[in-house]
Amino acid sequence: MHGLLPQSKPVPDRSCLRHLDQTFSTSVSVVMCMKNELVYLLLRTITTLVKRTPPHLLREILLIDDGSEVDSSPEISDFSEKMSIPIKLVRNNVSVGITNCRNAGIRRAEGEVVVILDTHMEVSEIWLEPLLDILQDRPLAVAVPTLDLINEREYEEKHLRTVNAYGIEMMSGYSYFRYYWTGPPEDNQSESYRTASILGGALAAYKTTFLEFYPQGVLGEHWGTENSRLALRMWMCGQGLWMSRCSQILHTNGNDGGLQRYLKDSPDMWLHLHYETLGDVINFIGEEGEKRRLLWSVYKEDLHVEKVFEVSRAIRQQFRSECSRDYAWYLKDVQPPQSMHYVRLGSRDHYHLVGEAESVSHPDFCIVTDYKKVYVDQRCRRDRTLVYDNHLLGFSVRGEVQTTVQTLHCWDSGQGDNATGITMYGCHSVSHPDLVTTYSSQNFQYNKDTRQIIHVDSKRCVQIFPNNKEILLVYCNDSQEQKCSSIRKMD
């Protein structure tokens, strides 16, 4: 086993040593699914598990080979004979996908607690006990470790940075997911703390909890966003997601960080994953109109909207748990403050003015904001303006202008007194949440009498130039090109 047992990371704090004095009688099964994994990485993962887990807790390691092109079972079997913990290998002749593979492992598991783990990980000392401590207090929760990245080209113990999926940055409602990595929250120094979302490669829960809440694949994809779907379910229906500072696991993307082994079999993988995730999301939204407004913000074709509804009905047949919370609660009370706000036209806590900015001089030309620029487009929504739409401008109480699809970025005039363009830049209120009024470059007002959008600091007005599809800040005058309608006060 030379080279297979790297040096363990030191515990992050001496207080974590208290877990060595705890007594747990819970039996644990580790479930690992793999497809075309490098055997060296897999054996290294198994070695750290066996050597750094109390043997009276670790009942078994379940390996499920999900249709790998090369059969590595001879090497695994030879290696397993040297281990003191039962290592069971199941091989699927045809790949069923990561979600269904893990579900099969959960059903097979004999332990009371199941740990789902990727096959290219390294566990550190005292990795399991803090997770069991969380579950002991919250039996309907999912417990996760703090993850560190490993340099995958030099697969030695090279700690790059601590990461965790403390939230999902949501673009256009849920048009796609992008995790942003953070360390543990600075304002919460507790050993364990709640997290809005999780990575899918390292998590623990009671087997009964996974059997009830772990998502099933609907469209048969080989890779999935089951972690995002699980996050929603655990907060809406269970006791949430909890991350431990004391439990540390190192992770690499293994031999295929780009997921090519999945994409080559399914060119529509990302599209199907959006269907499944959105299908779970809208099942936690009560109003039919609210569901459709969310989906219309993601898709411009009814074909996709109806497909999500079809998938959501299939999910309801699989998942019948009683849930007391909804999607709006999740985004408001669970998501970190820097993530997207769940905006309804009737709420006044974030915006005091909202609407589509349509040009008075050139009807049907409206101001559109994406994640990099502000411009004009000859396709106004009018009555079809959506709650989540890059046409729908929100004027915040601090003076910022955002689109209601995403509140991480705001209109910004840039630097200098002669700046004439408007770009998108990180909102000052995100980095400085205690601001009463935003800084000068992002301070805009709408004058309902003159119908002009004014940059307060430079005293210039937004003017539409439809031929170039651009807007600029110019000195205010009575020009019709500086007048915008359809922006209204919040009721």
Side-chain angles (χ1 to χ4, degrees):
M1 285 182 285
H2 177 70
L4 293 181
L5 186 62
Q7 181 180 354
S8 177
K9 279 201 67 185
V11 294
D13 190 274
R14 289 185 61 85
S15 63
C16 297
L17 297 175
R18 73 177 180 85
H19 292 293
L20 294 176
D21 298 326
Q22 288 182 286
T23 300
F24 297 100
S25 58
T26 308
S27 60
V28 177
S29 295
V30 175
V31 172
M32 296 192 290
C33 290
M34 60 184 181
K35 182 176 182 181
N36 298 332
E37 182 63 274
L38 291 176
V39 176
Y40 174 76
L41 300 186
L42 171 64
L43 300 186
R44 186 162 170 145
T45 302
I46 294 173
T47 300
T48 63
L49 275 170
V50 173
K51 297 299 182 181
R52 293 174 181 162
T53 306
H56 70 283
L57 295 177
L58 187 55
R59 183 183 184 100
E60 62 184 349
I61 297 175
L62 289 174
L63 301 178
I64 303 181
D65 187 328
D66 192 33
S68 294
E69 295 170 7
V70 177
D71 183 4
S72 56
S73 55
E75 296 99 316
I76 296 171
S77 296
D78 290 343
F79 183 81
S80 300
E81 292 178 358
K82 305 171 186 177
M83 295 289 103
S84 58
I85 300 297
I87 299 174
K88 305 172 184 178
L89 175 63
V90 178
R91 179 170 167 81
N92 297 332
N93 293 325
V94 178
S95 177
V96 298
I98 190 69
T99 303
N100 292 333
C101 178
R102 286 173 173 166
N103 272 302
I106 292 168
R107 290 192 296 269
R108 285 176 175 267
E110 297 177 4
E112 298 168 83
V113 167
V114 174
V115 175
I116 293 174
L117 208 63
D118 279 351
T119 50
H120 35 264
M121 314 286 268
E122 294 177 9
V123 300
S124 297
E125 301 287 353
I126 323 180
W127 73 276
L128 179 59
E129 295 92 326
L131 303 182
L132 296 179
D133 190 37
I134 291 173
L135 298 179
Q136 192 169 252
D137 294 334
R138 302 178 181 90
L140 289 178
V142 168
V144 293
T146 299
L147 293 180
D148 285 353
L149 296 181
I150 308 171
N151 186 328
E152 61 192 56
R153 294 185 180 180
E154 304 174 29
Y155 198 76
E156 299 297 333
E157 181 116 8
K158 295 190 181 291
H159 169 228
L160 298 183
R161 57 176 174 149
T162 299
V163 301
N164 73 60
Y166 189 54
I168 306 172
E169 182 177 334
M170 286 161 288
M171 307 293 190
S172 297
Y174 257 99
S175 63
Y176 69 89
F177 297 92
R178 187 173 76 195
Y179 291 98
Y180 52 89
W181 313 119
T182 71
E186 296 180 0
D187 60 347
N188 183 352
Q189 296 302 313
S190 301
E191 179 185 308
S192 61
Y193 55 94
R194 70 183 203 168
T195 176
S197 188
I198 50 174
L199 293 174
L203 54 155
Y206 279 100
K207 177 179 178 178
T208 52
T209 299
F210 274 144
L211 287 173
E212 180 175 359
F213 295 113
Y214 200 83
Q216 300 177 47
V218 176
L219 297 173
E221 283 305 335
H222 291 217
W223 190 79
T225 52
E226 74 291 336
N227 52 316
S228 301
R229 298 173 58 193
L230 179 64
L232 293 167
R233 294 179 178 191
M234 295 313 302
W235 280 115
M236 252 75 89
C237 319
Q239 291 179 300
L241 313 170
W242 296 85
M243 184 165 288
S244 171
R245 298 174 192 270
C246 293
S247 175
Q248 298 184 109
I249 296 181
L250 285 80
H251 177 272
T252 178
N253 284 334
N255 59 311
D256 183 18
L259 301 175
Q260 294 306 310
R261 65 190 187 276
Y262 301 118
L263 286 167
K264 69 178 182 179
D265 297 326
S266 178
D268 294 325
M269 182 176 79
W270 295 114
L271 179 65
H272 291 173
L273 296 181
H274 294 161
Y275 288 161
E276 289 196 2
T277 309
L278 281 160
D280 236 323
V281 168
I282 65 173
N283 282 337
F284 294 108
I285 299 175
E287 300 175 9
E288 188 73 13
E290 195 75 14
K291 294 179 182 182
R292 290 192 175 273
R293 281 192 289 272
L294 173 59
L295 296 181
W296 283 334
S297 73
V298 179
Y299 304 113
K300 304 309 176 189
E301 298 179 13
D302 289 338
L303 170 67
H304 297 302
V305 172
E306 296 309 316
K307 185 63 178 180
V308 173
F309 276 106
E310 177 186 330
V311 170
S312 75
R313 289 190 289 270
I315 290 173
R316 283 200 299 273
Q317 293 299 313
Q318 300 171 347
F319 182 65
R320 298 175 177 271
S321 296
E322 293 293 328
C323 303
S324 59
R325 307 177 189 96
D326 62 13
Y327 181 55
W329 172 87
Y330 170 74
L331 292 183
K332 180 182 178 185
D333 288 9
V334 178
Q335 277 287 337
Q338 64 266 39
S339 63
M340 172 187 164
H341 293 269
Y342 187 67
V343 180
R344 281 193 175 96
L345 290 178
S347 66
R348 301 184 53 164
D349 56 343
H350 194 70
Y351 300 122
H352 69 97
L353 291 171
V354 69
E356 187 176 35
E358 182 174 1
S359 171
V360 172
S361 61
H362 295 82
D364 205 32
F365 277 86
C366 285
I367 296 176
V368 181
T369 299
D370 62 21
Y371 309 111
K372 295 182 179 179
K373 62 182 180 179
V374 183
Y375 58 98
V376 290
D377 185 32
Q378 196 176 4
R379 288 192 299 270
C380 291
R381 303 277 199 258
R382 294 201 177 96
D383 292 340
R384 281 182 56 86
T385 304
L386 309 173
V387 174
Y388 308 92
D389 199 318
N390 61 356
H391 280 239
L392 190 60
L393 299 181
F395 288 73
S396 79
V397 294
R398 294 183 176 92
E400 295 166 325
V401 181
Q402 308 154 334
T403 59
T404 57
V405 297
Q406 202 265 98
T407 60
L408 293 175
H409 296 85
C410 293
W411 283 19
D412 198 293
S413 66
Q415 302 297 322
D417 295 335
N418 296 319
T420 59
I422 298 178
T423 60
M424 295 300 292
Y425 194 75
C427 296
H428 296 153
S429 62
V430 172
S431 54
H432 300 86
D434 295 330
L435 280 179
V436 176
T437 303
T438 189
Y439 296 132
S440 58
S441 64
Q442 294 186 0
N443 196 351
F444 291 83
Q445 291 181 355
Y446 178 69
N447 187 317
K448 64 179 181 180
D449 296 323
T450 64
R451 294 188 288 182
Q452 293 169 308
I453 300 175
I454 304 167
H455 180 239
V456 175
D457 189 54
S458 68
K459 296 182 173 57
R460 298 187 185 193
C461 290
V462 170
Q463 183 163 321
I464 291 175
F465 293 84
N467 291 337
N468 299 326
K469 292 191 174 181
E470 65 179 0
I471 68 171
L472 297 174
L473 289 175
V474 302
Y475 290 109
C476 298
N477 55 50
D478 292 331
S479 169
Q480 295 295 304
E481 282 78 9
Q482 292 186 5
K483 300 182 186 300
C484 296
S485 61
S486 302
I487 302 175
R488 65 181 179 84
K489 186 175 180 179
M490 296 292 284
D491 298 325

